[in-house]
Short mmCIF file of all heavy atoms in Angstrom, two decimals:
data_model
loop_
_atom_site.label_atom_id
_atom_site.label_comp_id
_atom_site.label_asym_id
_atom_site.label_seq_id
_atom_site.Cartn_x
_atom_site.Cartn_y
_atom_site.Cartn_z
N HIS G 1 34.42 11.08 -6.87
CA HIS G 1 35.86 11.30 -6.86
C HIS G 1 36.13 12.67 -7.48
O HIS G 1 35.80 12.91 -8.63
CB HIS G 1 36.54 10.19 -7.66
CG HIS G 1 38.02 10.30 -7.71
ND1 HIS G 1 38.77 9.65 -8.69
CD2 HIS G 1 38.93 10.94 -6.94
CE1 HIS G 1 40.05 9.89 -8.50
NE2 HIS G 1 40.18 10.69 -7.46
N MET G 2 36.71 13.56 -6.69
CA MET G 2 36.96 14.93 -7.15
C MET G 2 38.45 15.23 -7.14
O MET G 2 39.19 14.73 -6.30
CB MET G 2 36.26 15.92 -6.21
CG MET G 2 34.80 15.71 -6.08
SD MET G 2 34.09 16.81 -4.86
CE MET G 2 32.57 15.93 -4.51
N ASP G 3 38.83 16.05 -8.09
CA ASP G 3 40.19 16.58 -8.14
C ASP G 3 40.03 18.09 -8.34
O ASP G 3 39.60 18.53 -9.40
CB ASP G 3 40.98 15.96 -9.28
CG ASP G 3 42.42 16.44 -9.33
OD1 ASP G 3 42.67 17.61 -8.97
OD2 ASP G 3 43.28 15.66 -9.75
N VAL G 4 40.33 18.86 -7.31
CA VAL G 4 40.09 20.30 -7.36
C VAL G 4 41.37 21.09 -7.62
O VAL G 4 41.42 22.29 -7.38
CB VAL G 4 39.37 20.79 -6.08
CG1 VAL G 4 37.99 20.15 -5.97
CG2 VAL G 4 40.19 20.51 -4.83
N TYR G 5 42.39 20.42 -8.16
CA TYR G 5 43.67 21.07 -8.42
C TYR G 5 43.54 22.29 -9.32
O TYR G 5 44.22 23.29 -9.13
CB TYR G 5 44.64 20.05 -9.06
CG TYR G 5 46.03 20.59 -9.28
CD1 TYR G 5 46.90 20.76 -8.21
CD2 TYR G 5 46.48 20.94 -10.54
CE1 TYR G 5 48.18 21.25 -8.39
CE2 TYR G 5 47.76 21.43 -10.74
CZ TYR G 5 48.60 21.59 -9.65
OH TYR G 5 49.86 22.08 -9.83
N ARG G 6 42.66 22.23 -10.29
CA ARG G 6 42.51 23.32 -11.25
C ARG G 6 41.37 24.28 -10.89
O ARG G 6 40.99 25.12 -11.70
CB ARG G 6 42.28 22.76 -12.65
CG ARG G 6 43.44 21.92 -13.13
CD ARG G 6 43.33 21.54 -14.58
NE ARG G 6 44.42 20.69 -14.99
CZ ARG G 6 45.64 21.11 -15.26
NH1 ARG G 6 45.93 22.37 -15.17
NH2 ARG G 6 46.57 20.26 -15.63
N ILE G 7 40.85 24.16 -9.70
CA ILE G 7 39.74 25.01 -9.26
C ILE G 7 40.28 26.12 -8.37
O ILE G 7 41.08 25.88 -7.48
CB ILE G 7 38.71 24.17 -8.44
CG1 ILE G 7 38.11 23.08 -9.31
CG2 ILE G 7 37.64 25.05 -7.84
CD1 ILE G 7 37.32 23.58 -10.48
N ASP G 8 39.79 27.33 -8.61
CA ASP G 8 40.12 28.37 -7.63
C ASP G 8 38.98 28.44 -6.63
O ASP G 8 37.89 27.93 -6.87
CB ASP G 8 40.40 29.72 -8.31
CG ASP G 8 39.18 30.32 -8.98
OD1 ASP G 8 38.09 30.33 -8.38
OD2 ASP G 8 39.32 30.79 -10.13
N ASP G 9 39.23 29.04 -5.52
CA ASP G 9 38.26 29.02 -4.41
C ASP G 9 36.95 29.72 -4.76
O ASP G 9 35.95 29.54 -4.09
CB ASP G 9 38.90 29.64 -3.16
CG ASP G 9 38.21 29.18 -1.90
OD1 ASP G 9 37.77 28.02 -1.85
OD2 ASP G 9 38.08 30.00 -0.96
N ASN G 10 36.93 30.50 -5.81
CA ASN G 10 35.70 31.20 -6.20
C ASN G 10 34.86 30.42 -7.18
O ASN G 10 33.74 30.82 -7.48
CB ASN G 10 36.06 32.58 -6.79
CG ASN G 10 36.76 33.46 -5.78
OD1 ASN G 10 36.41 33.48 -4.61
ND2 ASN G 10 37.78 34.18 -6.24
N SER G 11 35.37 29.33 -7.72
CA SER G 11 34.61 28.53 -8.69
C SER G 11 33.44 27.86 -7.99
O SER G 11 33.54 27.40 -6.86
CB SER G 11 35.50 27.46 -9.31
OG SER G 11 36.52 28.05 -10.06
N ASP G 12 32.33 27.80 -8.71
CA ASP G 12 31.16 27.13 -8.15
C ASP G 12 30.84 25.92 -9.01
O ASP G 12 30.27 26.03 -10.08
CB ASP G 12 29.97 28.09 -8.11
CG ASP G 12 28.75 27.45 -7.47
OD1 ASP G 12 28.91 26.45 -6.74
OD2 ASP G 12 27.63 27.93 -7.72
N PHE G 13 31.25 24.75 -8.53
CA PHE G 13 30.92 23.52 -9.26
C PHE G 13 30.01 22.63 -8.43
O PHE G 13 29.82 21.47 -8.73
CB PHE G 13 32.19 22.78 -9.71
CG PHE G 13 33.05 22.24 -8.60
CD1 PHE G 13 32.95 20.91 -8.22
CD2 PHE G 13 33.95 23.06 -7.94
CE1 PHE G 13 33.74 20.41 -7.20
CE2 PHE G 13 34.74 22.56 -6.93
CZ PHE G 13 34.64 21.24 -6.56
N GLY G 14 29.41 23.17 -7.37
CA GLY G 14 28.44 22.44 -6.58
C GLY G 14 29.03 21.40 -5.65
O GLY G 14 28.36 20.43 -5.32
N VAL G 15 30.26 21.59 -5.21
CA VAL G 15 30.91 20.60 -4.35
C VAL G 15 30.07 20.31 -3.10
O VAL G 15 29.96 19.17 -2.67
CB VAL G 15 32.34 21.02 -3.97
CG1 VAL G 15 32.37 22.27 -3.11
CG2 VAL G 15 33.07 19.89 -3.27
N GLU G 16 29.46 21.35 -2.54
CA GLU G 16 28.69 21.17 -1.31
C GLU G 16 27.51 20.21 -1.52
O GLU G 16 27.10 19.52 -0.59
CB GLU G 16 28.19 22.52 -0.78
CG GLU G 16 29.31 23.43 -0.31
CD GLU G 16 29.89 24.32 -1.41
OE1 GLU G 16 29.57 24.13 -2.62
OE2 GLU G 16 30.70 25.20 -1.07
N ASP G 17 26.95 20.17 -2.74
CA ASP G 17 25.83 19.28 -3.02
C ASP G 17 26.21 17.81 -2.83
O ASP G 17 25.39 17.00 -2.41
CB ASP G 17 25.33 19.48 -4.45
CG ASP G 17 24.75 20.88 -4.67
OD1 ASP G 17 24.36 21.53 -3.68
OD2 ASP G 17 24.73 21.31 -5.84
N TYR G 18 27.45 17.48 -3.13
CA TYR G 18 27.90 16.09 -3.00
C TYR G 18 28.00 15.65 -1.54
O TYR G 18 27.85 14.48 -1.24
CB TYR G 18 29.25 15.90 -3.70
CG TYR G 18 29.12 15.91 -5.20
CD1 TYR G 18 29.33 17.07 -5.92
CD2 TYR G 18 28.78 14.74 -5.88
CE1 TYR G 18 29.21 17.08 -7.30
CE2 TYR G 18 28.66 14.74 -7.27
CZ TYR G 18 28.87 15.92 -7.97
OH TYR G 18 28.74 15.92 -9.33
N PHE G 19 28.25 16.57 -0.64
CA PHE G 19 28.40 16.21 0.78
C PHE G 19 27.08 15.75 1.39
O PHE G 19 27.08 15.12 2.44
CB PHE G 19 28.97 17.38 1.58
CG PHE G 19 30.30 17.87 1.08
CD1 PHE G 19 30.59 19.22 1.09
CD2 PHE G 19 31.25 16.99 0.60
CE1 PHE G 19 31.81 19.68 0.62
CE2 PHE G 19 32.48 17.45 0.12
CZ PHE G 19 32.75 18.80 0.15
N ASN G 20 25.98 16.10 0.77
CA ASN G 20 24.66 15.75 1.30
C ASN G 20 24.06 14.53 0.63
O ASN G 20 22.90 14.22 0.85
CB ASN G 20 23.73 16.95 1.17
CG ASN G 20 24.24 18.13 1.95
OD1 ASN G 20 24.66 18.00 3.09
ND2 ASN G 20 24.23 19.31 1.34
N LYS G 21 24.82 13.87 -0.21
CA LYS G 21 24.34 12.66 -0.88
C LYS G 21 24.67 11.44 -0.03
O LYS G 21 25.42 11.53 0.93
CB LYS G 21 24.96 12.54 -2.28
CG LYS G 21 24.51 13.65 -3.21
CD LYS G 21 25.00 13.41 -4.61
CE LYS G 21 24.46 14.48 -5.53
NZ LYS G 21 24.62 14.12 -6.93
N ASP G 22 24.12 10.30 -0.41
CA ASP G 22 24.32 9.08 0.36
C ASP G 22 25.54 8.27 -0.05
O ASP G 22 25.63 7.10 0.27
CB ASP G 22 23.07 8.19 0.26
CG ASP G 22 21.93 8.73 1.11
OD1 ASP G 22 22.22 9.47 2.08
OD2 ASP G 22 20.77 8.43 0.81
N GLY G 23 26.46 8.90 -0.75
CA GLY G 23 27.66 8.20 -1.17
C GLY G 23 28.87 8.64 -0.37
O GLY G 23 28.76 9.22 0.71
N VAL G 24 30.04 8.35 -0.93
CA VAL G 24 31.32 8.73 -0.33
C VAL G 24 31.99 9.73 -1.27
O VAL G 24 32.06 9.50 -2.48
CB VAL G 24 32.24 7.50 -0.15
CG1 VAL G 24 33.61 7.91 0.35
CG2 VAL G 24 31.60 6.49 0.80
N CYS G 25 32.47 10.84 -0.72
CA CYS G 25 33.23 11.83 -1.47
C CYS G 25 34.71 11.67 -1.14
O CYS G 25 35.07 11.65 0.05
CB CYS G 25 32.82 13.25 -1.09
SG CYS G 25 31.17 13.69 -1.58
N ILE G 26 35.52 11.54 -2.16
CA ILE G 26 36.97 11.56 -1.97
C ILE G 26 37.50 12.70 -2.82
O ILE G 26 37.27 12.74 -4.03
CB ILE G 26 37.64 10.23 -2.34
CG1 ILE G 26 37.07 9.08 -1.50
CG2 ILE G 26 39.15 10.34 -2.13
CD1 ILE G 26 37.71 7.72 -1.77
N ILE G 27 38.18 13.63 -2.18
CA ILE G 27 38.62 14.86 -2.84
C ILE G 27 40.13 14.95 -2.83
O ILE G 27 40.75 14.99 -1.76
CB ILE G 27 38.04 16.10 -2.13
CG1 ILE G 27 36.53 15.96 -1.96
CG2 ILE G 27 38.41 17.38 -2.89
CD1 ILE G 27 35.93 16.95 -0.98
N GLU G 28 40.73 14.98 -4.02
CA GLU G 28 42.17 15.20 -4.14
C GLU G 28 42.43 16.70 -4.18
O GLU G 28 41.69 17.45 -4.79
CB GLU G 28 42.71 14.53 -5.41
CG GLU G 28 42.57 13.02 -5.38
CD GLU G 28 43.28 12.35 -6.54
OE1 GLU G 28 44.39 12.79 -6.91
OE2 GLU G 28 42.72 11.38 -7.09
N TRP G 29 43.51 17.12 -3.52
CA TRP G 29 43.91 18.53 -3.42
C TRP G 29 42.89 19.35 -2.64
O TRP G 29 42.69 20.54 -2.90
CB TRP G 29 44.14 19.14 -4.82
CG TRP G 29 45.16 18.42 -5.63
CD1 TRP G 29 44.93 17.50 -6.60
CD2 TRP G 29 46.58 18.54 -5.53
NE1 TRP G 29 46.11 17.04 -7.12
CE2 TRP G 29 47.15 17.67 -6.48
CE3 TRP G 29 47.42 19.30 -4.72
CZ2 TRP G 29 48.52 17.54 -6.65
CZ3 TRP G 29 48.79 19.17 -4.91
CH2 TRP G 29 49.32 18.29 -5.85
N SER G 30 42.24 18.76 -1.66
CA SER G 30 41.16 19.42 -0.93
C SER G 30 41.60 20.68 -0.19
O SER G 30 40.78 21.55 0.08
CB SER G 30 40.53 18.45 0.06
OG SER G 30 41.47 18.10 1.06
N GLU G 31 42.88 20.78 0.13
CA GLU G 31 43.35 21.98 0.85
C GLU G 31 43.08 23.25 0.05
O GLU G 31 43.00 24.33 0.62
CB GLU G 31 44.83 21.85 1.19
CG GLU G 31 45.71 21.69 -0.02
CD GLU G 31 47.07 21.08 0.29
OE1 GLU G 31 47.34 20.69 1.43
OE2 GLU G 31 47.87 20.98 -0.66
N LEU G 32 42.88 23.12 -1.26
CA LEU G 32 42.61 24.29 -2.11
C LEU G 32 41.20 24.84 -1.93
O LEU G 32 40.92 25.97 -2.32
CB LEU G 32 42.86 23.95 -3.58
CG LEU G 32 44.29 23.53 -3.92
CD1 LEU G 32 44.40 23.09 -5.37
CD2 LEU G 32 45.27 24.66 -3.62
N ILE G 33 40.30 24.01 -1.36
CA ILE G 33 38.92 24.47 -1.11
C ILE G 33 38.55 24.25 0.36
O ILE G 33 37.40 23.98 0.69
CB ILE G 33 37.91 23.76 -2.05
CG1 ILE G 33 37.94 22.24 -1.85
CG2 ILE G 33 38.15 24.15 -3.50
CD1 ILE G 33 36.73 21.52 -2.43
N GLU G 34 39.52 24.37 1.23
CA GLU G 34 39.34 24.02 2.64
C GLU G 34 38.13 24.69 3.29
O GLU G 34 37.42 24.07 4.07
CB GLU G 34 40.61 24.36 3.42
CG GLU G 34 40.60 23.80 4.81
CD GLU G 34 41.96 23.86 5.46
OE1 GLU G 34 42.92 24.35 4.85
OE2 GLU G 34 42.04 23.40 6.60
N ASP G 35 37.85 25.94 2.95
CA ASP G 35 36.74 26.63 3.59
C ASP G 35 35.38 26.14 3.10
O ASP G 35 34.35 26.49 3.67
CB ASP G 35 36.86 28.14 3.38
CG ASP G 35 36.80 28.55 1.93
OD1 ASP G 35 37.21 27.77 1.06
OD2 ASP G 35 36.35 29.69 1.66
N ARG G 36 35.35 25.27 2.10
CA ARG G 36 34.09 24.73 1.58
C ARG G 36 33.85 23.29 2.02
O ARG G 36 32.81 22.70 1.72
CB ARG G 36 34.10 24.81 0.06
CG ARG G 36 34.19 26.27 -0.41
CD ARG G 36 34.55 26.38 -1.84
NE ARG G 36 33.39 26.09 -2.67
CZ ARG G 36 33.40 26.22 -3.98
NH1 ARG G 36 34.49 26.62 -4.59
NH2 ARG G 36 32.34 25.94 -4.68
N LEU G 37 34.80 22.72 2.73
CA LEU G 37 34.69 21.32 3.15
C LEU G 37 33.77 21.19 4.36
O LEU G 37 33.65 22.12 5.16
CB LEU G 37 36.08 20.78 3.49
CG LEU G 37 37.08 20.75 2.35
CD1 LEU G 37 38.47 20.37 2.87
CD2 LEU G 37 36.63 19.80 1.26
N PRO G 38 33.16 20.01 4.52
CA PRO G 38 32.33 19.80 5.72
C PRO G 38 33.21 19.80 6.97
O PRO G 38 34.39 19.42 6.92
CB PRO G 38 31.68 18.44 5.49
CG PRO G 38 32.51 17.77 4.45
CD PRO G 38 33.18 18.83 3.66
N GLN G 39 32.64 20.21 8.07
CA GLN G 39 33.40 20.23 9.33
C GLN G 39 33.83 18.83 9.72
O GLN G 39 34.92 18.65 10.25
CB GLN G 39 32.57 20.85 10.45
CG GLN G 39 32.47 22.34 10.36
CD GLN G 39 31.79 22.92 11.58
OE1 GLN G 39 30.83 22.36 12.10
NE2 GLN G 39 32.28 24.05 12.05
N GLU G 40 32.97 17.85 9.51
CA GLU G 40 33.30 16.47 9.84
C GLU G 40 33.81 15.78 8.59
O GLU G 40 33.10 15.70 7.58
CB GLU G 40 32.10 15.74 10.44
CG GLU G 40 31.71 16.34 11.78
CD GLU G 40 30.78 15.44 12.58
OE1 GLU G 40 30.53 14.30 12.17
OE2 GLU G 40 30.33 15.91 13.63
N ARG G 41 35.05 15.28 8.68
CA ARG G 41 35.68 14.65 7.52
C ARG G 41 36.97 13.98 7.98
O ARG G 41 37.39 14.15 9.12
CB ARG G 41 35.98 15.68 6.44
CG ARG G 41 37.01 16.71 6.88
CD ARG G 41 37.23 17.79 5.84
NE ARG G 41 38.34 18.64 6.16
CZ ARG G 41 38.27 19.74 6.90
NH1 ARG G 41 37.13 20.13 7.41
NH2 ARG G 41 39.36 20.45 7.14
N LEU G 42 37.61 13.26 7.04
CA LEU G 42 38.91 12.67 7.30
C LEU G 42 39.91 13.26 6.31
O LEU G 42 39.74 13.13 5.10
CB LEU G 42 38.86 11.14 7.13
CG LEU G 42 40.19 10.40 7.31
CD1 LEU G 42 40.75 10.62 8.72
CD2 LEU G 42 40.03 8.93 7.01
#
């Protein structure tokens, strides 16, 4: 469960690493990191 409200687009907190795990990622305020999101998502 992520909340990226306080993250700027240049911050590196390893969000991409979570997309490759076997769990579910739910990201609040995801529009703030849109260019880092996986192409396939809801």
